[in-house]
Amino acid sequence: PTSSSSGISRPGEAVSPEDLRDVPIAANAAEPPWRDLARHTAINPPGRAIHPGAAPKGDRLVYATTEFGTRPQIALKTVDGAASYQITSNSGENLFPRISPDGKLVAYASNRDGNWEIYLARLDAPAAATQITFEDVDDIAPSWSPDGKRLVYCSKPADSTVWQIVIVEIGSRLKTYLGPGVYPDWSPDVKDPWICFQSQPRTSGGRSTVWVARPDGTGLREIVGDKTRVWSAINPRFSPDGRWIAYATVNKSPESRAFGQPEAADDIWIVRPDGTLDTRLTDDLSAEWWPSWGGDRVFFVSDRGGARNLWSVRVKPLEDPKE
Protein backbone atom coordinates (compact mmCIF):
# COMPACT_ATOMS: atom_id res chain seq x y z
CA PRO A 1 0.00 0.00 0.00
CA THR A 2 1.21 3.47 -0.78
CA SER A 3 0.26 6.87 0.52
CA SER A 4 -2.45 9.03 -1.02
CA SER A 5 -4.85 11.82 -0.17
CA SER A 6 -6.84 9.31 1.91
CA GLY A 7 -4.84 10.21 4.98
CA ILE A 8 -2.49 7.21 5.10
CA SER A 9 0.90 8.16 6.46
CA ARG A 10 3.99 7.96 4.37
CA PRO A 11 7.07 6.12 5.73
CA GLY A 12 8.73 8.31 8.34
CA GLU A 13 5.64 10.46 9.03
CA ALA A 14 4.06 10.42 12.46
CA VAL A 15 0.73 8.62 12.82
CA SER A 16 -1.64 9.68 15.58
CA PRO A 17 -2.69 6.92 18.01
CA GLU A 18 -6.39 7.44 17.29
CA ASP A 19 -5.95 6.53 13.62
CA LEU A 20 -6.40 2.82 14.24
CA ARG A 21 -8.51 2.44 11.12
CA ASP A 22 -7.86 4.07 7.76
CA VAL A 23 -10.04 4.68 4.76
CA PRO A 24 -9.40 2.77 1.53
CA ILE A 25 -6.54 3.94 -0.63
CA ALA A 26 -7.14 4.85 -4.24
CA ALA A 27 -5.32 2.71 -6.79
CA ASN A 28 -2.41 4.35 -8.56
CA ALA A 29 -2.61 2.41 -11.82
CA ALA A 30 -4.15 -1.04 -12.07
CA GLU A 31 -6.64 -1.79 -9.31
CA PRO A 32 -4.81 -3.59 -6.49
CA PRO A 33 -6.09 -6.91 -5.10
CA TRP A 34 -6.87 -5.37 -1.70
CA ARG A 35 -8.84 -2.58 -0.06
CA ASP A 36 -9.36 -0.97 3.35
CA LEU A 37 -5.87 -0.58 4.81
CA ALA A 38 -6.09 -0.59 8.62
CA ARG A 39 -3.66 -0.15 11.47
CA HIS A 40 -4.30 -2.14 14.66
CA THR A 41 -1.55 -1.02 17.04
CA ALA A 42 -0.04 2.40 17.70
CA ILE A 43 3.28 1.71 19.39
CA ASN A 44 6.04 4.30 19.20
CA PRO A 45 9.72 3.43 18.64
CA PRO A 46 11.66 1.71 20.06
CA GLY A 47 8.60 -0.37 20.98
CA ARG A 48 7.22 -2.97 18.62
CA ALA A 49 4.28 -5.25 17.89
CA ILE A 50 5.13 -8.43 15.98
CA HIS A 51 3.94 -11.99 15.21
CA PRO A 52 0.20 -11.38 14.66
CA GLY A 53 -1.99 -14.43 15.16
CA ALA A 54 -5.50 -13.65 13.92
CA ALA A 55 -8.51 -15.74 14.88
CA PRO A 56 -9.98 -17.59 11.87
CA LYS A 57 -12.97 -15.21 11.70
CA GLY A 58 -10.67 -12.18 11.88
CA ASP A 59 -12.45 -10.65 14.90
CA ARG A 60 -9.60 -11.05 17.41
CA LEU A 61 -5.85 -10.80 17.29
CA VAL A 62 -3.04 -12.07 19.51
CA TYR A 63 0.46 -10.72 19.06
CA ALA A 64 3.81 -10.18 20.77
CA THR A 65 4.45 -6.64 22.00
CA THR A 66 6.68 -4.46 24.16
CA GLU A 67 3.85 -2.09 25.09
CA PHE A 68 3.88 -3.54 28.65
CA GLY A 69 7.66 -3.47 29.19
CA THR A 70 11.04 -4.04 27.57
CA ARG A 71 10.55 -7.79 27.06
CA PRO A 72 7.84 -8.87 24.61
CA GLN A 73 4.67 -10.25 26.13
CA ILE A 74 1.59 -11.75 24.48
CA ALA A 75 -1.44 -9.47 24.09
CA LEU A 76 -5.02 -10.00 22.90
CA LYS A 77 -7.30 -7.40 21.35
CA THR A 78 -10.37 -7.19 19.20
CA VAL A 79 -9.49 -6.16 15.67
CA ASP A 80 -11.56 -2.97 15.83
CA GLY A 81 -10.74 -2.13 19.44
CA ALA A 82 -8.09 0.21 20.78
CA ALA A 83 -7.35 -1.50 24.12
CA SER A 84 -5.29 -4.67 24.45
CA TYR A 85 -5.39 -7.35 27.14
CA GLN A 86 -2.11 -8.73 28.48
CA ILE A 87 -1.96 -12.53 28.32
CA THR A 88 1.56 -13.23 29.63
CA SER A 89 3.44 -11.47 32.40
CA ASN A 90 6.81 -13.02 33.14
CA SER A 91 10.53 -12.18 33.07
CA GLY A 92 11.16 -13.89 29.74
CA GLU A 93 10.43 -13.13 26.11
CA ASN A 94 7.15 -14.41 24.70
CA LEU A 95 6.61 -14.73 20.95
CA PHE A 96 4.67 -16.47 18.13
CA PRO A 97 1.14 -16.59 19.64
CA ARG A 98 -1.62 -18.56 17.87
CA ILE A 99 -5.30 -18.87 18.82
CA SER A 100 -6.73 -22.41 18.89
CA PRO A 101 -9.44 -23.41 16.37
CA ASP A 102 -12.13 -23.29 19.09
CA GLY A 103 -10.98 -19.82 20.16
CA LYS A 104 -10.37 -20.79 23.79
CA LEU A 105 -6.57 -21.24 23.97
CA VAL A 106 -3.43 -19.52 22.81
CA ALA A 107 -0.18 -21.36 22.03
CA TYR A 108 3.07 -19.42 22.14
CA ALA A 109 6.82 -19.73 22.66
CA SER A 110 8.62 -18.41 25.75
CA ASN A 111 12.15 -18.49 27.14
CA ARG A 112 11.03 -17.70 30.69
CA ASP A 113 13.02 -20.66 32.05
CA GLY A 114 16.08 -20.48 29.78
CA ASN A 115 15.64 -22.12 26.40
CA TRP A 116 12.57 -21.62 24.22
CA GLU A 117 9.59 -23.88 24.97
CA ILE A 118 5.97 -24.09 23.79
CA TYR A 119 3.18 -23.13 26.22
CA LEU A 120 -0.62 -23.09 26.19
CA ALA A 121 -2.88 -20.70 28.09
CA ARG A 122 -6.62 -20.14 28.31
CA LEU A 123 -7.61 -16.79 26.88
CA ASP A 124 -10.15 -16.26 29.67
CA ALA A 125 -7.71 -17.31 32.44
CA PRO A 126 -4.17 -16.93 31.07
CA ALA A 127 -2.26 -16.89 34.37
CA ALA A 128 -2.07 -20.71 34.56
CA ALA A 129 -0.02 -21.69 31.52
CA THR A 130 0.64 -25.31 30.54
CA GLN A 131 4.09 -26.22 29.26
CA ILE A 132 3.99 -28.52 26.22
CA THR A 133 7.68 -29.10 25.37
CA PHE A 134 10.44 -29.85 27.88
CA GLU A 135 13.59 -30.92 26.05
CA ASP A 136 16.89 -29.02 26.19
CA VAL A 137 16.31 -27.52 22.73
CA ASP A 138 14.70 -24.36 21.38
CA ASP A 139 11.05 -24.81 20.33
CA ILE A 140 9.25 -21.89 18.65
CA ALA A 141 6.45 -20.87 16.25
CA PRO A 142 3.57 -23.24 17.12
CA SER A 143 0.56 -23.71 14.83
CA TRP A 144 -2.64 -25.65 15.59
CA SER A 145 -4.00 -28.66 13.76
CA PRO A 146 -7.60 -28.14 12.55
CA ASP A 147 -8.99 -30.34 15.34
CA GLY A 148 -6.96 -28.58 18.03
CA LYS A 149 -5.34 -31.83 19.22
CA ARG A 150 -1.84 -31.31 17.80
CA LEU A 151 0.68 -28.54 17.29
CA VAL A 152 3.32 -28.17 14.61
CA TYR A 153 6.37 -26.07 15.45
CA CYS A 154 10.09 -25.82 14.72
CA SER A 155 12.85 -27.08 16.99
CA LYS A 156 16.63 -26.70 17.14
CA PRO A 157 19.29 -28.03 19.57
CA ALA A 158 21.63 -25.41 20.98
CA ASP A 159 24.63 -26.98 19.22
CA SER A 160 22.93 -27.08 15.80
CA THR A 161 22.06 -24.54 13.12
CA VAL A 162 19.32 -26.68 11.54
CA TRP A 163 15.68 -26.21 12.51
CA GLN A 164 13.35 -29.22 12.29
CA ILE A 165 9.57 -29.26 11.79
CA VAL A 166 7.95 -31.20 14.65
CA ILE A 167 4.37 -32.30 15.33
CA VAL A 168 3.36 -32.96 18.95
CA GLU A 169 0.20 -34.57 20.31
CA ILE A 170 -0.98 -32.19 23.02
CA GLY A 171 -2.48 -34.94 25.18
CA SER A 172 0.26 -37.59 24.98
CA ARG A 173 3.24 -35.33 24.07
CA LEU A 174 4.18 -37.88 21.37
CA LYS A 175 6.24 -36.29 18.59
CA THR A 176 6.72 -36.74 14.87
CA TYR A 177 9.68 -35.19 13.07
CA LEU A 178 9.03 -34.10 9.49
CA GLY A 179 12.44 -32.76 8.48
CA PRO A 180 14.24 -29.41 8.13
CA GLY A 181 12.26 -26.17 8.01
CA VAL A 182 11.05 -23.17 10.02
CA TYR A 183 7.81 -21.29 10.77
CA PRO A 184 5.28 -24.00 9.88
CA ASP A 185 1.55 -23.37 9.49
CA TRP A 186 -1.24 -25.96 9.42
CA SER A 187 -4.03 -25.71 6.84
CA PRO A 188 -7.61 -25.67 8.19
CA ASP A 189 -8.85 -28.66 6.16
CA VAL A 190 -9.51 -31.63 8.47
CA LYS A 191 -10.00 -34.12 5.62
CA ASP A 192 -6.97 -33.12 3.54
CA PRO A 193 -4.54 -31.25 5.84
CA TRP A 194 -1.29 -29.70 4.68
CA ILE A 195 1.56 -27.89 6.38
CA CYS A 196 3.38 -25.00 4.75
CA PHE A 197 6.77 -23.84 5.96
CA GLN A 198 9.85 -21.81 5.12
CA SER A 199 13.03 -23.55 4.07
CA GLN A 200 16.40 -22.73 5.57
CA PRO A 201 19.23 -21.48 3.34
CA ARG A 202 21.75 -24.23 2.74
CA THR A 203 24.68 -21.81 2.67
CA SER A 204 25.54 -18.47 4.24
CA GLY A 205 23.77 -15.74 2.31
CA GLY A 206 21.42 -18.26 0.70
CA ARG A 207 17.73 -17.74 0.14
CA SER A 208 14.57 -19.22 1.67
CA THR A 209 11.58 -20.63 -0.21
CA VAL A 210 8.05 -21.78 0.72
CA TRP A 211 7.17 -25.47 0.75
CA VAL A 212 4.15 -27.63 1.56
CA ALA A 213 3.85 -31.21 2.82
CA ARG A 214 1.23 -33.42 4.39
CA PRO A 215 1.48 -34.07 8.15
CA ASP A 216 2.77 -37.58 7.41
CA GLY A 217 5.63 -36.15 5.32
CA THR A 218 4.23 -37.06 1.91
CA GLY A 219 3.54 -34.64 -0.93
CA LEU A 220 6.60 -32.48 -0.23
CA ARG A 221 7.02 -29.77 -2.85
CA GLU A 222 8.24 -26.21 -3.25
CA ILE A 223 5.51 -23.75 -4.25
CA VAL A 224 7.30 -20.36 -4.13
CA GLY A 225 10.98 -19.76 -4.75
CA ASP A 226 13.49 -17.86 -6.82
CA LYS A 227 15.49 -20.15 -9.11
CA THR A 228 18.30 -17.57 -9.22
CA ARG A 229 18.33 -17.31 -5.41
CA VAL A 230 18.24 -13.50 -5.50
CA TRP A 231 15.16 -13.10 -3.30
CA SER A 232 13.54 -15.06 -0.48
CA ALA A 233 9.98 -16.15 0.32
CA ILE A 234 9.35 -16.29 4.09
CA ASN A 235 6.70 -16.56 6.85
CA PRO A 236 3.93 -18.53 5.03
CA ARG A 237 0.38 -18.66 6.44
CA PHE A 238 -2.76 -20.41 5.19
CA SER A 239 -6.03 -18.54 4.71
CA PRO A 240 -8.97 -19.70 6.89
CA ASP A 241 -10.48 -21.57 3.94
CA GLY A 242 -7.15 -23.15 2.98
CA ARG A 243 -7.33 -21.84 -0.60
CA TRP A 244 -4.47 -19.34 -0.30
CA ILE A 245 -1.10 -18.93 1.39
CA ALA A 246 0.13 -15.48 2.37
CA TYR A 247 3.89 -14.95 2.62
CA ALA A 248 6.48 -12.18 2.69
CA THR A 249 9.40 -11.56 0.35
CA VAL A 250 12.93 -10.30 0.90
CA ASN A 251 14.84 -8.40 -1.80
CA LYS A 252 12.22 -9.09 -4.47
CA SER A 253 10.42 -5.83 -5.18
CA PRO A 254 12.07 -3.21 -7.43
CA GLU A 255 11.17 -0.58 -4.82
CA SER A 256 12.97 -2.48 -2.08
CA ARG A 257 16.06 -3.01 -4.21
CA ALA A 258 16.18 0.65 -5.19
CA PHE A 259 15.17 2.38 -1.97
CA GLY A 260 14.88 -0.15 0.85
CA GLN A 261 17.20 -2.31 2.87
CA PRO A 262 18.29 -5.30 0.73
CA GLU A 263 18.07 -7.87 3.53
CA ALA A 264 14.84 -6.54 5.06
CA ALA A 265 11.44 -7.90 4.14
CA ASP A 266 9.66 -5.91 1.47
CA ASP A 267 6.12 -7.02 0.53
CA ILE A 268 3.26 -9.40 1.30
CA TRP A 269 2.16 -11.83 -1.43
CA ILE A 270 -0.57 -14.47 -1.72
CA VAL A 271 -0.46 -17.70 -3.73
CA ARG A 272 -2.51 -20.83 -4.23
CA PRO A 273 -1.20 -23.94 -2.40
CA ASP A 274 -0.39 -25.44 -5.80
CA GLY A 275 1.88 -22.47 -6.61
CA THR A 276 -0.49 -20.74 -9.06
CA LEU A 277 -1.93 -17.21 -9.03
CA ASP A 278 1.07 -15.72 -7.23
CA THR A 279 -0.15 -12.19 -6.46
CA ARG A 280 1.60 -9.21 -4.89
CA LEU A 281 -0.62 -7.79 -2.14
CA THR A 282 1.34 -4.78 -0.83
CA ASP A 283 3.85 -2.41 -2.40
CA ASP A 284 4.87 0.07 0.28
CA LEU A 285 8.53 1.10 0.59
CA SER A 286 8.46 0.05 4.25
CA ALA A 287 9.35 -3.49 5.28
CA GLU A 288 6.28 -5.73 5.66
CA TRP A 289 6.38 -9.31 6.93
CA TRP A 290 4.81 -11.90 9.29
CA PRO A 291 1.43 -12.17 7.52
CA SER A 292 -1.50 -13.76 9.34
CA TRP A 293 -4.87 -14.38 7.71
CA GLY A 294 -8.12 -13.76 9.62
CA GLY A 295 -11.44 -13.75 7.79
CA ASP A 296 -10.89 -11.92 4.50
CA ARG A 297 -8.07 -9.78 5.92
CA VAL A 298 -4.33 -10.34 5.88
CA PHE A 299 -2.62 -8.90 8.96
CA PHE A 300 1.09 -8.14 8.87
CA VAL A 301 3.95 -6.29 10.55
CA SER A 302 5.09 -3.04 8.96
CA ASP A 303 7.77 -0.59 10.04
CA ARG A 304 6.14 2.35 8.29
CA GLY A 305 6.25 5.40 10.55
CA GLY A 306 9.47 4.21 12.19
CA ALA A 307 7.99 1.57 14.54
CA ARG A 308 6.91 -2.02 14.02
CA ASN A 309 3.13 -2.07 14.22
CA LEU A 310 0.35 -4.35 13.02
CA TRP A 311 -1.61 -3.47 9.89
CA SER A 312 -4.02 -5.32 7.64
CA VAL A 313 -5.72 -5.16 4.27
CA ARG A 314 -8.93 -6.73 3.06
CA VAL A 315 -8.28 -9.13 0.19
CA LYS A 316 -10.60 -8.78 -2.77
CA PRO A 317 -11.99 -12.02 -4.22
CA LEU A 318 -9.59 -13.29 -6.86
CA GLU A 319 -10.93 -15.41 -9.67
CA ASP A 320 -9.20 -18.67 -10.52
CA PRO A 321 -9.39 -19.42 -14.26
CA LYS A 322 -9.71 -23.13 -13.41
CA GLU A 323 -12.86 -22.63 -11.32
Side-chain angles (χ1 to χ4, degrees):
T2 52
S3 210
S4 76
S5 59
S6 61
I8 303 303
S9 296
R10 300 178 185 274
E13 290 183 345
V15 182
S16 58
E18 61 270 17
D19 288 337
L20 296 180
R21 301 285 296 183
D22 288 298
V23 297
I25 300 175
N28 292 324
E31 188 177 358
W34 60 268
R35 59 180 178 267
D36 187 23
L37 176 71
R39 191 180 67 172
H40 304 283
T41 60
I43 300 174
N44 296 317
R48 64 191 186 276
I50 56 175
H51 300 162
K57 293 182 179 180
D59 57 336
R60 294 184 298 167
L61 189 68
V62 287
Y63 59 100
T65 177
T66 57
E67 60 193 272
F68 308 114
T70 57
R71 292 181 177 272
Q73 302 291 338
I74 305 303
L76 169 71
K77 70 185 299 292
T78 59
V79 168
D80 294 322
S84 60
Y85 174 65
Q86 187 172 352
I87 298 296
T88 62
S89 179
N90 55 64
S91 60
E93 297 177 89
N94 305 269
L95 302 172
F96 304 105
R98 300 295 296 274
I99 296 176
S100 61
D102 63 7
K104 297 180 179 181
L105 301 172
V106 58
Y108 61 94
S110 177
N111 65 356
R112 65 187 67 179
D113 293 320
N115 59 299
W116 289 93
E117 303 286 6
I118 305 298
Y119 293 81
L120 300 184
R122 286 176 51 183
L123 287 174
D124 61 351
T130 300
Q131 188 171 339
I132 300 299
T133 61
F134 294 88
E135 289 76 11
D136 188 21
V137 298
D138 285 327
D139 300 322
I140 63 171
S143 173
W144 294 88
S145 65
D147 60 7
K149 296 180 180 180
R150 293 179 290 173
L151 291 169
V152 63
Y153 61 94
C154 50
S155 180
K156 181 182 73 66
D159 58 354
S160 175
T161 59
V162 178
W163 289 90
Q164 295 280 333
I165 305 295
V166 183
I167 294 174
V168 62
E169 299 276 352
I170 294 175
S172 66
R173 304 295 198 272
L174 293 176
K175 295 180 180 179
T176 303
Y177 290 81
L178 295 185
V182 291
Y183 308 135
D185 188 56
W186 213 310
S187 75
D189 191 340
V190 176
K191 295 182 179 179
D192 186 26
W194 288 82
I195 292 171
C196 64
F197 61 94
Q198 172 187 330
S199 69
Q200 282 190 270
R202 297 181 180 179
T203 59
S204 177
R207 295 297 177 182
S208 295
T209 58
V210 172
W211 292 69
V212 294
R214 290 189 173 90
D216 61 4
T218 62
L220 178 67
R221 65 178 185 270
E222 181 184 274
I223 62 166
V224 178
D226 179 18
K227 302 301 182 183
T228 64
R229 303 301 179 187
V230 172
W231 54 268
S232 286
I234 63 174
N235 310 152
R237 290 283 187 91
F238 275 102
S239 62
D241 61 9
R243 300 176 65 203
W244 295 92
I245 294 174
Y247 67 96
T249 56
V250 178
N251 199 45
K252 181 175 183 178
S253 74
E255 297 88 350
S256 176
R257 295 179 186 179
F259 305 107
Q261 302 176 25
E263 295 307 313
D266 42 34
D267 295 315
I268 305 298
W269 290 65
I270 57 175
V271 66
R272 289 289 204 193
D274 62 3
T276 62
L277 294 183
D278 199 13
T279 304
R280 183 178 176 181
L281 198 60
T282 68
D283 60 2
D284 194 83
L285 293 181
S286 302
E288 295 170 339
W289 68 114
W290 289 120
S292 176
W293 213 308
D296 62 353
R297 302 193 71 88
V298 172
F299 299 82
F300 55 90
V301 177
S302 177
D303 65 0
R304 64 182 68 200
R308 297 179 181 181
N309 277 290
L310 304 185
W311 298 70
S312 73
V313 291
R314 190 182 306 278
V315 182
K316 294 180 179 180
L318 299 178
E319 296 183 0
D320 190 336
K322 298 181 295 184
E323 296 181 350

